[in-house]
Amino acid sequence: MLHIDLPTVSDISILAGERAEACVSIYLETTPLSQQTDAARITLGNLWRDAEAQLRDNGFDKKHLAAMAEHVDDLREDDGFWRLQANSLAVFVTPDGMRTFRLPNQLTSLVQVSDRFHLKPLLRAVTFPHAAFVLAVSENHVRLVEVFAEMAPQVVRVPGLPGGAADAVGKSSLNDRAPVGRIHGAEGQKVRFRQYLRQVDNALRPMLSGRETPLILAGAEPLASLFRGINTYPHLAQQGINASPDRMSEGELAQAARPILDQIHQSQVEAARDLYASRGQQGRATADLAQAARAATMGAVETLMVDIDDVVPGFIDEETGQIDLGDGDGARTYGVADEIARRALTTGARVLGVRKADLPKGAETLAATLRYPV
């Protein structure tokens, strides 16, 4: 299974506010197959050597450089750490310490050296879901399955999950008359089904609390509609798997769920592009780096789509937002689009880390919708 530790909004905020004489950001592809992690360790070493060379070229303090190298070497030699990986790894290093995040999506390997961390690739991991839960519910059985983009699905143990509808209501059959004279037959069965599904929802609450992972419902009618009327989890997907899951394996459930997960992703991209087009008609949208930098500095960015792979080195004035583009990557510059994203985040904007193909037509590096014209 994937061993993931996604950053929270608070984590990203703390990283975004970090300033040091040297902040090294490393992203590399990894694998959850523990017997194949040697390549990732080698890649980490190579990327660190690139960072080390940049720091030496800029006369960075040798003692501080040695402290950073020690952090990276310790990580490379930690066999226990490498046995539990996902699809990508983000590593953030300063002389004072290191932070890592194991990510579900596949990221391009890169290293950035500056006085602040490079966070755009990290945003991709928290922008779109790369896994989902499938709730497979029928009259006879209920199970929760975690589905991943490229890994085998896993059944999740949920304490308190009922064994089936009859088990949930303490009946051998759902068709008998209730002891207090309530309705029976089809209507009485629905009453019992709701009791059953309410127990399912109650069992899921502690496990799903605080998550934003999509929940995809697999079930036939009337259970599917009845559960949607009872569900309290805010991230239940609108589209479900409309079939009885009793004879579906975990692999078959995952196969049916993955197109729904892709659709969730695509709908978020399309909604952001539609908002950009709408705001553009009001003079409240821009794909221009200089204008976006000024808007982010003023707190005027409402939504920002930013290409996680593109790096434009330079500086942005702290007060005015004016951009000064650098001559190339180096320890004395940083990615200006990354800095625009950081400023937008700190002023409450919604920031989406996307691929270039997801940007609106004509946008090269980013697309910003604004709270007001600038």
Side-chain angles (χ1 to χ4, degrees), residues 268-295:
Q268 288 180 296
V269 170
E270 290 174 358
R273 287 199 294 236
D274 289 346
L275 180 64
Y276 178 84
S278 174
R279 292 287 189 267
Q281 297 174 4
Q282 305 166 14
R284 294 168 53 195
T286 183
D288 180 72
L289 275 175
Q291 187 177 10
R294 290 195 301 273

PDB file of all heavy atoms in Angstrom, residues 268-295:
ATOM      1  N   GLN A 268     -12.827  19.737 -11.307  1.00  0.00           N
ATOM      2  CA  GLN A 268     -12.191  20.829 -10.573  1.00  0.00           C
ATOM      3  C   GLN A 268     -11.401  21.736 -11.511  1.00  0.00           C
ATOM      4  O   GLN A 268     -11.436  22.969 -11.387  1.00  0.00           O
ATOM      5  CB  GLN A 268     -11.257  20.258  -9.498  1.00  0.00           C
ATOM      6  CG  GLN A 268     -11.978  19.627  -8.327  1.00  0.00           C
ATOM      7  CD  GLN A 268     -11.008  19.075  -7.303  1.00  0.00           C
ATOM      8  OE1 GLN A 268     -10.239  18.145  -7.575  1.00  0.00           O
ATOM      9  NE2 GLN A 268     -11.022  19.637  -6.127  1.00  0.00           N
ATOM     10  N   VAL A 269     -10.698  21.133 -12.464  1.00  0.00           N
ATOM     11  CA  VAL A 269      -9.944  21.915 -13.450  1.00  0.00           C
ATOM     12  C   VAL A 269     -10.893  22.755 -14.291  1.00  0.00           C
ATOM     13  O   VAL A 269     -10.666  23.956 -14.514  1.00  0.00           O
ATOM     14  CB  VAL A 269      -9.093  20.991 -14.343  1.00  0.00           C
ATOM     15  CG1 VAL A 269      -8.498  21.763 -15.510  1.00  0.00           C
ATOM     16  CG2 VAL A 269      -7.973  20.345 -13.529  1.00  0.00           C
ATOM     17  N   GLU A 270     -11.971  22.136 -14.766  1.00  0.00           N
ATOM     18  CA  GLU A 270     -12.919  22.859 -15.616  1.00  0.00           C
ATOM     19  C   GLU A 270     -13.601  23.987 -14.854  1.00  0.00           C
ATOM     20  O   GLU A 270     -13.834  25.074 -15.416  1.00  0.00           O
ATOM     21  CB  GLU A 270     -13.955  21.879 -16.174  1.00  0.00           C
ATOM     22  CG  GLU A 270     -13.375  20.910 -17.196  1.00  0.00           C
ATOM     23  CD  GLU A 270     -14.370  19.850 -17.631  1.00  0.00           C
ATOM     24  OE1 GLU A 270     -15.504  19.857 -17.096  1.00  0.00           O
ATOM     25  OE2 GLU A 270     -14.025  19.022 -18.491  1.00  0.00           O
ATOM     26  N   ALA A 271     -13.913  23.768 -13.595  1.00  0.00           N
ATOM     27  CA  ALA A 271     -14.538  24.827 -12.790  1.00  0.00           C
ATOM     28  C   ALA A 271     -13.594  26.011 -12.638  1.00  0.00           C
ATOM     29  O   ALA A 271     -14.018  27.173 -12.717  1.00  0.00           O
ATOM     30  CB  ALA A 271     -14.932  24.275 -11.423  1.00  0.00           C
ATOM     31  N   ALA A 272     -12.303  25.740 -12.442  1.00  0.00           N
ATOM     32  CA  ALA A 272     -11.329  26.820 -12.307  1.00  0.00           C
ATOM     33  C   ALA A 272     -11.160  27.568 -13.627  1.00  0.00           C
ATOM     34  O   ALA A 272     -11.038  28.807 -13.646  1.00  0.00           O
ATOM     35  CB  ALA A 272      -9.989  26.259 -11.832  1.00  0.00           C
ATOM     36  N   ARG A 273     -11.163  26.837 -14.737  1.00  0.00           N
ATOM     37  CA  ARG A 273     -11.039  27.506 -16.042  1.00  0.00           C
ATOM     38  C   ARG A 273     -12.284  28.324 -16.356  1.00  0.00           C
ATOM     39  O   ARG A 273     -12.193  29.428 -16.918  1.00  0.00           O
ATOM     40  CB  ARG A 273     -10.788  26.461 -17.140  1.00  0.00           C
ATOM     41  CG  ARG A 273      -9.388  25.870 -17.110  1.00  0.00           C
ATOM     42  CD  ARG A 273      -9.019  25.211 -18.430  1.00  0.00           C
ATOM     43  NE  ARG A 273      -9.838  24.049 -18.711  1.00  0.00           N
ATOM     44  CZ  ARG A 273      -9.357  22.823 -18.949  1.00  0.00           C
ATOM     45  NH1 ARG A 273      -8.043  22.607 -18.909  1.00  0.00           N
ATOM     46  NH2 ARG A 273     -10.165  21.824 -19.219  1.00  0.00           N
ATOM     47  N   ASP A 274     -13.465  27.805 -16.007  1.00  0.00           N
ATOM     48  CA  ASP A 274     -14.703  28.559 -16.223  1.00  0.00           C
ATOM     49  C   ASP A 274     -14.703  29.842 -15.401  1.00  0.00           C
ATOM     50  O   ASP A 274     -15.133  30.905 -15.883  1.00  0.00           O
ATOM     51  CB  ASP A 274     -15.913  27.706 -15.847  1.00  0.00           C
ATOM     52  CG  ASP A 274     -16.171  26.575 -16.833  1.00  0.00           C
ATOM     53  OD1 ASP A 274     -15.582  26.599 -17.935  1.00  0.00           O
ATOM     54  OD2 ASP A 274     -16.937  25.650 -16.488  1.00  0.00           O
ATOM     55  N   LEU A 275     -14.234  29.760 -14.163  1.00  0.00           N
ATOM     56  CA  LEU A 275     -14.159  30.955 -13.323  1.00  0.00           C
ATOM     57  C   LEU A 275     -13.200  31.970 -13.921  1.00  0.00           C
ATOM     58  O   LEU A 275     -13.481  33.173 -13.938  1.00  0.00           O
ATOM     59  CB  LEU A 275     -13.703  30.571 -11.913  1.00  0.00           C
ATOM     60  CG  LEU A 275     -13.573  31.725 -10.909  1.00  0.00           C
ATOM     61  CD1 LEU A 275     -14.930  32.375 -10.650  1.00  0.00           C
ATOM     62  CD2 LEU A 275     -12.951  31.235  -9.602  1.00  0.00           C
ATOM     63  N   TYR A 276     -12.078  31.486 -14.449  1.00  0.00           N
ATOM     64  CA  TYR A 276     -11.092  32.368 -15.081  1.00  0.00           C
ATOM     65  C   TYR A 276     -11.716  33.091 -16.275  1.00  0.00           C
ATOM     66  O   TYR A 276     -11.546  34.311 -16.445  1.00  0.00           O
ATOM     67  CB  TYR A 276      -9.884  31.540 -15.517  1.00  0.00           C
ATOM     68  CG  TYR A 276      -8.801  32.327 -16.224  1.00  0.00           C
ATOM     69  CD1 TYR A 276      -7.834  33.021 -15.499  1.00  0.00           C
ATOM     70  CD2 TYR A 276      -8.739  32.357 -17.619  1.00  0.00           C
ATOM     71  CE1 TYR A 276      -6.840  33.728 -16.145  1.00  0.00           C
ATOM     72  CE2 TYR A 276      -7.748  33.070 -18.278  1.00  0.00           C
ATOM     73  CZ  TYR A 276      -6.797  33.739 -17.536  1.00  0.00           C
ATOM     74  OH  TYR A 276      -5.809  34.455 -18.168  1.00  0.00           O
ATOM     75  N   ALA A 277     -12.463  32.353 -17.108  1.00  0.00           N
ATOM     76  CA  ALA A 277     -13.107  32.971 -18.273  1.00  0.00           C
ATOM     77  C   ALA A 277     -14.143  33.998 -17.840  1.00  0.00           C
ATOM     78  O   ALA A 277     -14.243  35.094 -18.417  1.00  0.00           O
ATOM     79  CB  ALA A 277     -13.745  31.894 -19.140  1.00  0.00           C
ATOM     80  N   SER A 278     -14.920  33.675 -16.814  1.00  0.00           N
ATOM     81  CA  SER A 278     -15.942  34.590 -16.317  1.00  0.00           C
ATOM     82  C   SER A 278     -15.318  35.858 -15.747  1.00  0.00           C
ATOM     83  O   SER A 278     -15.769  36.973 -16.033  1.00  0.00           O
ATOM     84  CB  SER A 278     -16.782  33.883 -15.254  1.00  0.00           C
ATOM     85  OG  SER A 278     -17.696  34.778 -14.651  1.00  0.00           O
ATOM     86  N   ARG A 279     -14.290  35.695 -14.930  1.00  0.00           N
ATOM     87  CA  ARG A 279     -13.618  36.855 -14.337  1.00  0.00           C
ATOM     88  C   ARG A 279     -12.914  37.700 -15.403  1.00  0.00           C
ATOM     89  O   ARG A 279     -12.798  38.915 -15.271  1.00  0.00           O
ATOM     90  CB  ARG A 279     -12.602  36.402 -13.298  1.00  0.00           C
ATOM     91  CG  ARG A 279     -13.222  35.768 -12.054  1.00  0.00           C
ATOM     92  CD  ARG A 279     -13.890  36.830 -11.182  1.00  0.00           C
ATOM     93  NE  ARG A 279     -14.283  36.255  -9.913  1.00  0.00           N
ATOM     94  CZ  ARG A 279     -15.470  35.732  -9.650  1.00  0.00           C
ATOM     95  NH1 ARG A 279     -16.406  35.706 -10.606  1.00  0.00           N
ATOM     96  NH2 ARG A 279     -15.748  35.221  -8.458  1.00  0.00           N
ATOM     97  N   GLY A 280     -12.456  37.037 -16.481  1.00  0.00           N
ATOM     98  CA  GLY A 280     -11.780  37.780 -17.547  1.00  0.00           C
ATOM     99  C   GLY A 280     -12.691  38.801 -18.203  1.00  0.00           C
ATOM    100  O   GLY A 280     -12.247  39.882 -18.603  1.00  0.00           O
ATOM    101  N   GLN A 281     -13.968  38.482 -18.305  1.00  0.00           N
ATOM    102  CA  GLN A 281     -14.932  39.418 -18.891  1.00  0.00           C
ATOM    103  C   GLN A 281     -15.156  40.633 -17.994  1.00  0.00           C
ATOM    104  O   GLN A 281     -15.664  41.659 -18.442  1.00  0.00           O
ATOM    105  CB  GLN A 281     -16.254  38.696 -19.142  1.00  0.00           C
ATOM    106  CG  GLN A 281     -16.154  37.568 -20.147  1.00  0.00           C
ATOM    107  CD  GLN A 281     -17.448  36.779 -20.261  1.00  0.00           C
ATOM    108  OE1 GLN A 281     -18.452  37.121 -19.645  1.00  0.00           O
ATOM    109  NE2 GLN A 281     -17.431  35.725 -21.068  1.00  0.00           N
ATOM    110  N   GLN A 282     -14.754  40.514 -16.716  1.00  0.00           N
ATOM    111  CA  GLN A 282     -14.917  41.616 -15.764  1.00  0.00           C
ATOM    112  C   GLN A 282     -13.591  42.327 -15.476  1.00  0.00           C
ATOM    113  O   GLN A 282     -13.519  43.156 -14.579  1.00  0.00           O
ATOM    114  CB  GLN A 282     -15.486  41.067 -14.450  1.00  0.00           C
ATOM    115  CG  GLN A 282     -16.784  40.294 -14.605  1.00  0.00           C
ATOM    116  CD  GLN A 282     -17.136  39.495 -13.360  1.00  0.00           C
ATOM    117  OE1 GLN A 282     -16.570  39.689 -12.288  1.00  0.00           O
ATOM    118  NE2 GLN A 282     -18.090  38.583 -13.484  1.00  0.00           N
ATOM    119  N   GLY A 283     -12.536  41.970 -16.227  1.00  0.00           N
ATOM    120  CA  GLY A 283     -11.218  42.550 -15.975  1.00  0.00           C
ATOM    121  C   GLY A 283     -10.595  42.045 -14.685  1.00  0.00           C
ATOM    122  O   GLY A 283      -9.757  42.730 -14.082  1.00  0.00           O
ATOM    123  N   ARG A 284     -10.990  40.836 -14.273  1.00  0.00           N
ATOM    124  CA  ARG A 284     -10.520  40.282 -13.012  1.00  0.00           C
ATOM    125  C   ARG A 284      -9.847  38.933 -13.204  1.00  0.00           C
ATOM    126  O   ARG A 284     -10.026  38.012 -12.419  1.00  0.00           O
ATOM    127  CB  ARG A 284     -11.684  40.156 -12.026  1.00  0.00           C
ATOM    128  CG  ARG A 284     -12.280  41.481 -11.591  1.00  0.00           C
ATOM    129  CD  ARG A 284     -13.594  41.260 -10.850  1.00  0.00           C
ATOM    130  NE  ARG A 284     -13.451  40.307  -9.752  1.00  0.00           N
ATOM    131  CZ  ARG A 284     -14.499  39.725  -9.148  1.00  0.00           C
ATOM    132  NH1 ARG A 284     -15.732  39.982  -9.571  1.00  0.00           N
ATOM    133  NH2 ARG A 284     -14.311  38.878  -8.147  1.00  0.00           N
ATOM    134  N   ALA A 285      -9.033  38.823 -14.267  1.00  0.00           N
ATOM    135  CA  ALA A 285      -8.269  37.601 -14.515  1.00  0.00           C
ATOM    136  C   ALA A 285      -6.997  37.969 -15.264  1.00  0.00           C
ATOM    137  O   ALA A 285      -6.996  38.891 -16.086  1.00  0.00           O
ATOM    138  CB  ALA A 285      -9.088  36.598 -15.321  1.00  0.00           C
ATOM    139  N   THR A 286      -5.919  37.237 -14.980  1.00  0.00           N
ATOM    140  CA  THR A 286      -4.657  37.516 -15.667  1.00  0.00           C
ATOM    141  C   THR A 286      -3.804  36.265 -15.728  1.00  0.00           C
ATOM    142  O   THR A 286      -3.831  35.429 -14.826  1.00  0.00           O
ATOM    143  CB  THR A 286      -3.878  38.637 -14.964  1.00  0.00           C
ATOM    144  OG1 THR A 286      -2.686  38.921 -15.716  1.00  0.00           O
ATOM    145  CG2 THR A 286      -3.468  38.239 -13.548  1.00  0.00           C
ATOM    146  N   ALA A 287      -3.058  36.147 -16.825  1.00  0.00           N
ATOM    147  CA  ALA A 287      -2.049  35.100 -16.967  1.00  0.00           C
ATOM    148  C   ALA A 287      -0.667  35.720 -17.044  1.00  0.00           C
ATOM    149  O   ALA A 287       0.315  35.032 -17.310  1.00  0.00           O
ATOM    150  CB  ALA A 287      -2.330  34.262 -18.215  1.00  0.00           C
ATOM    151  N   ASP A 288      -0.595  37.021 -16.796  1.00  0.00           N
ATOM    152  CA  ASP A 288       0.668  37.761 -16.855  1.00  0.00           C
ATOM    153  C   ASP A 288       1.391  37.661 -15.507  1.00  0.00           C
ATOM    154  O   ASP A 288       0.814  37.975 -14.458  1.00  0.00           O
ATOM    155  CB  ASP A 288       0.384  39.222 -17.205  1.00  0.00           C
ATOM    156  CG  ASP A 288       1.655  40.041 -17.275  1.00  0.00           C
ATOM    157  OD1 ASP A 288       2.424  39.859 -18.234  1.00  0.00           O
ATOM    158  OD2 ASP A 288       1.898  40.836 -16.332  1.00  0.00           O
ATOM    159  N   LEU A 289       2.641  37.234 -15.536  1.00  0.00           N
ATOM    160  CA  LEU A 289       3.401  37.060 -14.293  1.00  0.00           C
ATOM    161  C   LEU A 289       3.504  38.352 -13.503  1.00  0.00           C
ATOM    162  O   LEU A 289       3.309  38.369 -12.276  1.00  0.00           O
ATOM    163  CB  LEU A 289       4.812  36.535 -14.606  1.00  0.00           C
ATOM    164  CG  LEU A 289       5.000  35.032 -14.763  1.00  0.00           C
ATOM    165  CD1 LEU A 289       6.427  34.730 -15.192  1.00  0.00           C
ATOM    166  CD2 LEU A 289       4.686  34.308 -13.461  1.00  0.00           C
ATOM    167  N   ALA A 290       3.810  39.450 -14.177  1.00  0.00           N
ATOM    168  CA  ALA A 290       4.007  40.724 -13.477  1.00  0.00           C
ATOM    169  C   ALA A 290       2.716  41.188 -12.806  1.00  0.00           C
ATOM    170  O   ALA A 290       2.723  41.624 -11.648  1.00  0.00           O
ATOM    171  CB  ALA A 290       4.518  41.788 -14.456  1.00  0.00           C
ATOM    172  N   GLN A 291       1.606  41.097 -13.531  1.00  0.00           N
ATOM    173  CA  GLN A 291       0.335  41.523 -12.948  1.00  0.00           C
ATOM    174  C   GLN A 291      -0.086  40.593 -11.817  1.00  0.00           C
ATOM    175  O   GLN A 291      -0.588  41.036 -10.774  1.00  0.00           O
ATOM    176  CB  GLN A 291      -0.750  41.566 -14.022  1.00  0.00           C
ATOM    177  CG  GLN A 291      -2.058  42.163 -13.519  1.00  0.00           C
ATOM    178  CD  GLN A 291      -3.117  42.259 -14.613  1.00  0.00           C
ATOM    179  OE1 GLN A 291      -2.942  41.723 -15.705  1.00  0.00           O
ATOM    180  NE2 GLN A 291      -4.215  42.941 -14.324  1.00  0.00           N
ATOM    181  N   ALA A 292       0.129  39.288 -12.003  1.00  0.00           N
ATOM    182  CA  ALA A 292      -0.220  38.328 -10.947  1.00  0.00           C
ATOM    183  C   ALA A 292       0.633  38.558  -9.699  1.00  0.00           C
ATOM    184  O   ALA A 292       0.138  38.415  -8.574  1.00  0.00           O
ATOM    185  CB  ALA A 292      -0.035  36.902 -11.457  1.00  0.00           C
ATOM    186  N   ALA A 293       1.896  38.924  -9.879  1.00  0.00           N
ATOM    187  CA  ALA A 293       2.769  39.196  -8.735  1.00  0.00           C
ATOM    188  C   ALA A 293       2.281  40.402  -7.950  1.00  0.00           C
ATOM    189  O   ALA A 293       2.252  40.385  -6.710  1.00  0.00           O
ATOM    190  CB  ALA A 293       4.203  39.421  -9.212  1.00  0.00           C
ATOM    191  N   ARG A 294       1.876  41.450  -8.650  1.00  0.00           N
ATOM    192  CA  ARG A 294       1.345  42.632  -7.958  1.00  0.00           C
ATOM    193  C   ARG A 294       0.047  42.282  -7.228  1.00  0.00           C
ATOM    194  O   ARG A 294      -0.169  42.686  -6.080  1.00  0.00           O
ATOM    195  CB  ARG A 294       1.094  43.767  -8.962  1.00  0.00           C
ATOM    196  CG  ARG A 294       2.358  44.387  -9.531  1.00  0.00           C
ATOM    197  CD  ARG A 294       2.063  45.712 -10.223  1.00  0.00           C
ATOM    198  NE  ARG A 294       1.100  45.569 -11.310  1.00  0.00           N
ATOM    199  CZ  ARG A 294       1.426  45.262 -12.565  1.00  0.00           C
ATOM    200  NH1 ARG A 294       2.697  45.055 -12.879  1.00  0.00           N
ATOM    201  NH2 ARG A 294       0.496  45.167 -13.502  1.00  0.00           N
ATOM    202  N   ALA A 295      -0.829  41.522  -7.908  1.00  0.00           N
ATOM    203  CA  ALA A 295      -2.111  41.156  -7.311  1.00  0.00           C
ATOM    204  C   ALA A 295      -1.905  40.303  -6.063  1.00  0.00           C
ATOM    205  O   ALA A 295      -2.566  40.503  -5.038  1.00  0.00           O
ATOM    206  CB  ALA A 295      -2.974  40.420  -8.328  1.00  0.00           C
TER     207      ALA A 295
END
